Amino acid sequence: MNGAAYNGEEVPQGQPLSGLMQDWPLTLDRILRRMETATASATLSVATDSGTARYSFRETALRARQLGAALHGYGIGQGERVASIGFNTRQHLELFLGVPANGTVLHTVNPRLSEDHLEYVIGHGGSRLVFVDALVAGQVIPLLRRSPRVEQIIQIETDEYEEFLGSARSNPGASVPLNERQAAALCYTSGTTGLPKGVLYSHRSNFLHALGICLADGMGVGSRDTILPIVPLFHANAWGLPHAAGLTGANIVLPGRDTSGDALARLIHAEKVTFTAGVPTVLSSLLEAANRNPGVLDSLETAVTGGAPMTKSLFDGFARHGVTVLQGWGMTETSPNVSLSRPPRETDGTAQAIPYLLSAGRLNAMVDARLVDADGKELPWDGSSAGEIQLSSPHAASGYFRNPAAGDELMDGPWLRTGDLATIDSCGYVRLKDRMKDLIKSGGEWIPTAELEEVIRSSPRVVDVAVVARPDERWGERPVAFVVAQAGSSIDVAELRGCLKSRVPGWWIPDTFEVIDSLPLTSVGKVDKKALRNQVSAV
Amino acid sequence: MNGAAYNGEEVPQGQPLSGLMQDWPLTLDRILRRMETATASATLSVATDSGTARYSFRETALRARQLGAALHGYGIGQGERVASIGFNTRQHLELFLGVPANGTVLHTVNPRLSEDHLEYVIGHGGSRLVFVDALVAGQVIPLLRRSPRVEQIIQIETDEYEEFLGSARSNPGASVPLNERQAAALCYTSGTTGLPKGVLYSHRSNFLHALGICLADGMGVGSRDTILPIVPLFHANAWGLPHAAGLTGANIVLPGRDTSGDALARLIHAEKVTFTAGVPTVLSSLLEAANRNPGVLDSLETAVTGGAPMTKSLFDGFARHGVTVLQGWGMTETSPNVSLSRPPRETDGTAQAIPYLLSAGRLNAMVDARLVDADGKELPWDGSSAGEIQLSSPHAASGYFRNPAAGDELMDGPWLRTGDLATIDSCGYVRLKDRMKDLIKSGGEWIPTAELEEVIRSSPRVVDVAVVARPDERWGERPVAFVVAQAGSSIDVAELRGCLKSRVPGWWIPDTFEVIDSLPLTSVGKVDKKALRNQVSAV
């Protein structure tokens, strides 16, 4: 299809000349093809209630193709959504790989969503067919039955699922023609600021994001790795790790439903895992388990964390086991990974590496950014000018599924508004200061709550803290801190105030400190600031 | 541009749904944008006659943009070709990055081409403007003057070049709208089998190839590296290394015109180079220099070689300096890199790694392949079935510039015929047996000359060898060996025959052994088998 005109003798003038390279769409069925050829002998290991089961990539790809053929047989056409509600199991991985390869869109649903949100996303996504993990079937199925569009519910890890797979009438090897811009997956944001919003990934965006994960400067995933994705498949494509593994032949280890620290540590040891990824709270439990079982992490080289800030103590704790923790930054809207905290070589082995390790990391090769101040003016990348960081990337969203109003709010022209206040230094390292919406404006000045919380968190006897704004007639807004004390100790608010005086500007110090047992969390484990704000406004 | 229809409330049925991701063309101006932002502080060091000069990526990108603006000012439009004939200098890199970013096509020409071929490619490429290195200006300019289309010749590293740069009338920051399928660069094959043929790379193919170079499983180039591309810019995009460096912020070190082993070793030491790449003969000279200067390669971690088979002794020699040599495989038609000899982790530190290190390597993530026998039947990837290896990749050619007949010969449907006889094992490692055209058919059976040459080369007192076919009435073809003896020794043909008897089938043993001083080479340093064939046919 690439141009007969210039392939021949005549070359047109004054217009772009098309290259004479192969038309090779970046589509996810190529990952299955890889798993049938160059990465066929890599293994998928899955922890189940009855021990660890092992499969080759070749078998996994075959079953994923079979699933696509079964969907076709059922009458699911191109562009239709199929939902999955489950954990990191063998069957969920088959759905993850097989549904998009058939031209269908996999809508991954977080099983821990509130009933309201679950009903909303199922209705909004519009799947006729829903695959459900047995562990949550009891709660979820009655809700699904209420959704008018849902026709069939299939429990995975059951005969129902195997029968469905066996129903494939077309040839599982027959491939559906795909274009790289077509939708592959649908994932809703957690909805801390309203109803969940659907991000509709394309084949191209998922493919390019997976390549990004495999870059030496990215997570560096490759054929020499054995990967344990603790991060769930419903959490922004499990950060692209299953795609990256399929492409490169990194072995995959799936934890199934038990993601306790001890279970993960045992699995890492038994399967010689070299690379893992999960949110900081999960990595903390893993670290505690490893501290009780020296040597259990011997094979592990790298753990990537994201979704919430990493602490220095988490980094140091893993370093004592010979594991490097890298922090990634991203959003559901960006596939997710946009940066990674790999320090520059010249800081190796020095204390200068620490601020880089604790930063949001360096912008990936396929991610462009700009910083914008309140007036829309672009700010320099000098490491000190702070503005909203906006992103441009082939794996960043340009809108939301069936929600043009939210899409308009998301975009500032071609740039995605992250809602994060950040600096970028001259080497592309991003430092997040705060969520724009968490900033407190007091007497015309900004108080970055994330920075303030970090200082409070490092005070004696404080385990955790969240600061939110209370409306104030005189100042506009004033900070209120919710503080959690160490088990068995109490917090002396006067002493805490004294301690803060020397470390932050006086007007940052919260007017009120509420000591509470634990911070409220959202369905994805982030601090629910909306709930805290409602609480202080109601006072 | 991504669909209003499904962004809104209505979702069309039974047709692919477009993803809602940003439209972010994979174009080479993005590499300049990276060099102006996230990789701005990386350095370009260039060896010149008067010492090593250093520039930031930011300055380099600025000058590349200025060059684009100057081309625009001169009246060079989108799709036009501009030629460069030079070595790895600062200005050549500016052309390499700046010309495509302006929508123009850079035609890189090997300064060592024969007069005939040089005249042919300049005429066929059709550039009005040619940039020439001062070192070859004397020979090249008179030839260029004979080309009716060439309007202006600019010597680089001179005031002429700086004046041209200074002539930019448009804003160097203003970007030309590019689409990713448009042509970015033109490179002619060396023409060992006829007239040179032009490969017309697109922005997309060069961008994706550069990403491939940065994969952990690929060359693994990243921000922590300092790269010395010994491989010339005119040799298939310098294997994508300048693009990879611009994207990631790896420092670049350019050798200029002196690529002697000693000069390279000094440069590696002075600039703390971590990664280099060049053909085996160049790496051999580097190794000899390093053997004379212990410690000179201390910073170097990886050397990638390609273009001709690597020997075990080259690998071992570098290993003694703590350097890993990886062998890459590719062609001008494939951008070039399609595989790399990184052994599987389980062979680390064992002798089992050796066959992998000496193989053509494992197929890259964006390269699909098939093996085809003489009847066009597909063969399995079992490590023993040998057939022509054919490739499919977004960075593989689909034809040749203004040469549809050669393009038709190149392609077998969507697959690129490599002309190489190979096996592929179940992990995607390719082992090249021979060039299809170098195979000798004797008595109805194939003799793989590459394999036969390897055995002869390992015989006592043999330094090099080339085997070609002589037409034979009885057998169809019979092998003739051209043998080069070690300096100061002579070859006993009877003894050599005896030696071969135990190691290869009797009918492989050449009828004639011609002892010669050196093998004839083509302009790119490969053994010129065509010349040898002419010699034996004439006998």
Side-chain angles (χ1 to χ4, degrees):
Chain A
M1 61 170 265
N2 270 325
Y6 43 87
N7 190 21
E9 279 303 307
E10 293 308 314
V11 181
Q13 295 289 325
Q15 61 185 74
L17 193 62
S18 288
L20 280 165
M21 305 303 283
Q22 295 181 12
D23 184 26
W24 200 93
L26 306 173
T27 50
L28 298 181
D29 54 331
R30 299 211 176 269
I31 295 180
L32 291 185
R33 164 76 183 166
R34 258 316 254 192
M35 293 173 74
E36 288 156 352
T37 56
T39 69
S41 55
T43 56
L44 164 66
S45 306
V46 187
T48 70
D49 299 343
S50 52
T52 302
R54 281 188 196 80
Y55 314 94
S56 71
F57 274 18
R58 188 191 302 278
E59 298 175 72
T60 305
L62 181 69
R63 281 171 58 93
R65 294 249 194 224
Q66 213 174 339
L67 189 69
L71 291 174
H72 185 76
Y74 183 90
I76 301 281
Q78 287 243 24
E80 275 205 67
R81 279 77 58 214
V82 167
S84 66
I85 310 179
F87 303 94
N88 288 8
T89 60
R90 178 190 191 195
Q91 293 79 3
H92 201 181
L93 183 72
E94 290 162 3
L95 287 160
F96 190 81
L97 297 169
V99 172
N102 186 51
T104 313
V105 180
L106 183 68
H107 171 195
T108 52
V109 180
N110 182 347
R112 309 277 189 229
L113 280 188
S114 68
E115 290 198 1
D116 281 3
H117 280 183
L118 190 82
E119 250 190 286
Y120 175 78
V121 302
I122 287 291
H124 193 266
S127 295
R128 287 194 282 148
L129 202 57
V130 183
F131 292 84
V132 178
D133 192 287
L135 191 71
V136 292
Q139 303 117 263
V140 164
I141 291 179
L143 289 174
L144 294 175
R145 294 249 157 82
R146 298 215 294 262
S147 184
R149 207 173 142 78
V150 174
E151 272 173 21
Q152 194 172 343
I153 299 161
I154 296 171
Q155 283 195 47
I156 60 182
E157 284 188 276
T158 63
D159 291 347
E160 242 171 53
Y161 179 86
E162 294 299 323
E163 279 161 23
F164 184 76
L165 220 63
S167 75
R169 279 187 293 265
S170 59
N171 171 9
S175 56
V176 175
L178 301 175
N179 78 68
E180 66 184 42
R181 306 279 177 167
Q182 84 182 68
L186 176 64
C187 184
Y188 284 76
T189 59
S190 50
T192 45
T193 54
L195 281 171
K197 296 184 286 284
V199 179
L200 192 63
Y201 305 109
S202 66
H203 281 259
R204 174 180 165 106
S205 71
N206 271 351
F207 192 99
L208 290 173
H209 180 265
L211 280 182
I213 294 299
C214 300
L215 297 177
D217 273 350
M219 297 190 195
V221 166
S223 60
R224 299 168 59 86
D225 283 310
T226 295
I227 301 179
L228 171 68
I230 312 175
V231 51
L233 290 165
F234 57 76
H235 189 179
N237 309 304
W239 303 352
L241 293 168
H243 296 142
L247 268 178
T248 62
N251 299 313
I252 304 178
V253 179
L254 293 182
R257 304 187 195 98
D258 186 356
T259 54
S260 66
D262 285 308
L264 294 173
R266 275 196 304 272
L267 200 57
I268 288 168
H269 185 67
E271 300 299 319
K272 298 192 177 61
V273 168
T274 62
F275 182 102
T276 192
V279 292
T281 45
V282 171
L283 291 191
S284 289
S285 322
L286 172 61
L287 179 59
E288 283 164 26
N291 289 341
R292 287 190 298 271
N293 298 282
V296 77
L297 301 185
D298 278 0
S299 62
L300 193 64
E301 295 170 359
T302 308
V304 171
T305 187
M310 167 171 74
T311 59
K312 175 83 168 43
S313 72
L314 188 74
F315 180 82
D316 290 340
F318 273 100
R320 280 191 287 275
H321 292 273
V323 179
T324 303
V325 183
L326 297 174
Q327 177 159 241
W329 174 55
M331 313 158 66
T332 303
E333 288 85 343
T334 56
S335 296
N337 190 245
V338 297
S339 62
L340 200 72
S341 68
R342 230 176 248 286
R345 181 189 282 258
E346 57 272 23
T347 66
D348 281 0
T350 73
Q352 272 105 60
I354 297 165
Y356 292 104
L357 285 162
L358 299 179
S359 77
R362 196 160 191 242
L363 290 165
N364 297 348
M366 278 180 283
V367 178
D368 194 6
R370 65 172 190 175
L371 293 175
V372 178
D373 75 7
D375 305 322
K377 199 170 76 53
E378 269 198 54
L379 299 172
W381 294 24
D382 57 10
S384 63
S385 303
E388 185 185 27
I389 180 166
Q390 302 189 340
L391 301 172
S392 150
S393 167
H395 54 76
S398 62
Y400 291 109
F401 184 56
R402 298 176 64 213
N403 194 342
D408 288 347
E409 267 175 57
L410 178 68
M411 302 302 291
D412 184 357
W415 297 91
L416 181 149
R417 298 180 212 262
T418 62
D420 280 304
L421 185 79
T423 63
I424 313 179
D425 72 15
S426 63
C427 297
Y429 285 90
V430 174
R431 287 177 181 84
L432 300 176
K433 296 296 169 183
D434 212 337
R435 292 292 296 163
M436 303 292 281
K437 66 182 168 51
D438 289 342
L439 288 171
I440 296 173
K441 198 162 193 178
S442 179
E445 299 275 354
W446 293 111
I447 302 175
T449 55
E451 204 173 333
L452 176 59
E453 286 163 0
E454 213 176 296
V455 176
I456 299 176
R457 208 177 283 114
S458 68
S459 306
R461 289 183 300 283
V462 174
V463 162
D464 212 348
V465 62
V467 177
V468 298
R470 167 155 52 201
D472 185 280
E473 277 197 21
R474 182 164 174 205
W475 302 105
E477 291 181 342
R478 287 295 302 150
V480 173
F482 290 84
V483 187
V484 181
Q486 265 171 7
S489 63
S490 66
I491 284 172
D492 179 333
V493 171
E495 186 199 15
L496 183 54
R497 270 181 203 285
C499 187
L500 292 179
K501 256 184 196 155
S502 61
R503 303 180 61 196
V504 299
W507 50 276
W508 285 25
I509 299 177
D511 291 353
T512 313
F513 287 86
E514 306 266 1
V515 180
I516 56 177
D517 291 342
S518 65
L519 298 176
L521 300 178
T522 66
S523 62
V524 294
K526 293 185 185 179
V527 173
D528 190 348
K529 286 209 170 179
K530 201 165 55 170
L532 293 175
R533 259 182 229 114
N534 290 341
Q535 200 173 323
V536 300
S537 304
V539 172
Chain B
M1 62 172 265
N2 270 324
Y6 43 87
N7 189 21
E9 280 303 308
E10 292 310 313
V11 181
Q13 296 289 326
Q15 61 184 75
L17 192 61
S18 286
L20 280 165
M21 304 304 282
Q22 294 181 10
D23 183 26
W24 200 94
L26 306 173
T27 50
L28 299 181
D29 55 330
R30 298 207 178 273
I31 295 180
L32 291 185
R33 163 76 183 165
R34 259 314 257 190
M35 293 172 74
E36 289 156 351
T37 56
T39 69
S41 55
T43 57
L44 164 66
S45 306
V46 187
T48 70
D49 299 343
S50 52
T52 302
R54 280 185 196 83
Y55 313 95
S56 70
F57 274 19
R58 189 192 301 277
E59 305 175 65
T60 305
L62 180 70
R63 281 170 59 92
R65 293 250 194 223
Q66 214 176 338
L67 188 70
L71 291 173
H72 184 76
Y74 183 90
I76 301 281
Q78 288 243 22
E80 274 204 67
R81 279 78 57 214
V82 167
S84 66
I85 310 179
F87 303 93
N88 289 7
T89 60
R90 178 191 190 195
Q91 293 79 2
H92 202 181
L93 184 71
E94 290 162 3
L95 288 159
F96 190 82
L97 297 169
V99 172
N102 186 51
T104 313
V105 180
L106 183 68
H107 171 195
T108 51
V109 180
N110 183 347
R112 311 273 190 232
L113 281 188
S114 68
E115 290 198 2
D116 282 2
H117 280 183
L118 190 82
E119 248 189 287
Y120 174 78
V121 302
I122 286 291
H124 193 267
S127 295
R128 288 194 280 146
L129 201 57
V130 184
F131 292 83
V132 178
D133 193 288
L135 191 71
V136 293
Q139 303 116 262
V140 165
I141 291 179
L143 291 173
L144 293 175
R145 293 250 157 84
R146 297 215 296 261
S147 186
R149 208 174 142 78
V150 173
E151 272 173 19
Q152 192 171 345
I153 299 162
I154 296 171
Q155 284 195 46
I156 59 181
E157 286 189 274
T158 63
D159 290 346
E160 242 171 53
Y161 179 85
E162 294 300 323
E163 278 160 24
F164 184 76
L165 220 64
S167 74
R169 278 188 294 267
S170 59
N171 171 10
S175 56
V176 175
L178 301 174
N179 78 67
E180 67 184 42
R181 305 278 176 169
Q182 84 182 67
L186 176 65
C187 184
Y188 284 76
T189 59
S190 52
T192 45
T193 54
L195 281 171
K197 296 183 285 286
V199 179
L200 192 63
Y201 304 109
S202 65
H203 282 259
R204 174 180 164 107
S205 72
N206 271 350
F207 191 99
L208 290 173
H209 179 265
L211 280 182
I213 294 300
C214 300
L215 296 177
D217 274 350
M219 297 191 195
V221 166
S223 60
R224 299 168 58 87
D225 283 311
T226 294
I227 302 180
L228 171 68
I230 312 176
V231 51
L233 289 166
F234 57 77
H235 188 181
N237 310 303
W239 303 353
L241 293 169
H243 295 142
L247 268 179
T248 63
N251 300 312
I252 304 179
V253 179
L254 293 182
R257 305 187 195 97
D258 185 356
T259 55
S260 67
D262 285 309
L264 294 173
R266 275 195 305 272
L267 200 56
I268 287 168
H269 184 69
E271 300 299 319
K272 298 193 176 61
V273 168
T274 61
F275 182 102
T276 192
V279 294
T281 47
V282 170
L283 292 191
S284 289
S285 323
L286 173 61
L287 179 59
E288 283 164 27
N291 288 342
R292 289 190 297 271
N293 298 282
V296 77
L297 300 185
D298 278 359
S299 62
L300 193 63
E301 296 169 0
T302 309
V304 171
T305 188
M310 167 171 72
T311 59
K312 175 84 167 47
S313 72
L314 188 74
F315 179 83
D316 290 341
F318 273 101
R320 281 191 288 274
H321 293 273
V323 179
T324 303
V325 183
L326 297 174
Q327 177 159 242
W329 174 55
M331 315 159 65
T332 303
E333 288 86 343
T334 57
S335 297
N337 190 247
V338 297
S339 62
L340 199 72
S341 69
R342 229 176 249 287
R345 181 189 282 260
E346 57 273 22
T347 66
D348 282 359
T350 72
Q352 272 106 59
I354 296 164
Y356 292 104
L357 285 162
L358 298 179
S359 77
R362 193 159 193 242
L363 290 165
N364 296 347
M366 278 179 284
V367 178
D368 195 5
R370 65 172 191 174
L371 292 175
V372 178
D373 73 7
D375 305 322
K377 200 169 75 40
E378 267 197 55
L379 300 172
W381 294 23
D382 57 11
S384 63
S385 302
E388 185 185 27
I389 180 165
Q390 301 188 338
L391 300 172
S392 149
S393 167
H395 55 77
S398 62
Y400 292 108
F401 183 57
R402 299 177 64 213
N403 195 341
D408 288 348
E409 268 175 56
L410 178 70
M411 301 302 293
D412 185 357
W415 297 91
L416 181 149
R417 298 180 212 262
T418 62
D420 281 304
L421 186 77
T423 64
I424 313 179
D425 72 14
S426 63
C427 296
Y429 285 89
V430 174
R431 286 179 181 81
L432 299 177
K433 296 295 170 186
D434 213 339
R435 291 290 298 163
M436 302 293 284
K437 68 183 168 50
D438 289 341
L439 288 171
I440 296 174
K441 199 163 194 178
S442 179
E445 299 275 355
W446 293 110
I447 302 176
T449 56
E451 202 172 333
L452 175 57
E453 286 163 0
E454 211 176 299
V455 175
I456 300 176
R457 206 176 285 115
S458 68
S459 305
R461 289 183 299 284
V462 174
V463 162
D464 212 349
V465 62
V467 177
V468 297
R470 168 154 53 202
D472 185 280
E473 277 198 20
R474 179 162 177 208
W475 302 106
E477 292 181 343
R478 286 297 302 151
V480 175
F482 291 85
V483 186
V484 181
Q486 266 172 6
S489 64
S490 65
I491 286 172
D492 179 333
V493 170
E495 185 199 17
L496 183 54
R497 272 182 203 287
C499 187
L500 292 179
K501 255 185 195 152
S502 60
R503 303 182 60 197
V504 299
W507 50 276
W508 285 25
I509 300 178
D511 290 353
T512 314
F513 287 86
E514 306 268 3
V515 181
I516 56 176
D517 290 341
S518 65
L519 298 175
L521 300 178
T522 66
S523 61
V524 295
K526 294 186 185 180
V527 173
D528 189 350
K529 287 207 168 181
K530 202 165 56 169
L532 294 174
R533 260 182 228 114
N534 291 341
Q535 198 171 324
V536 300
S537 304
V539 173

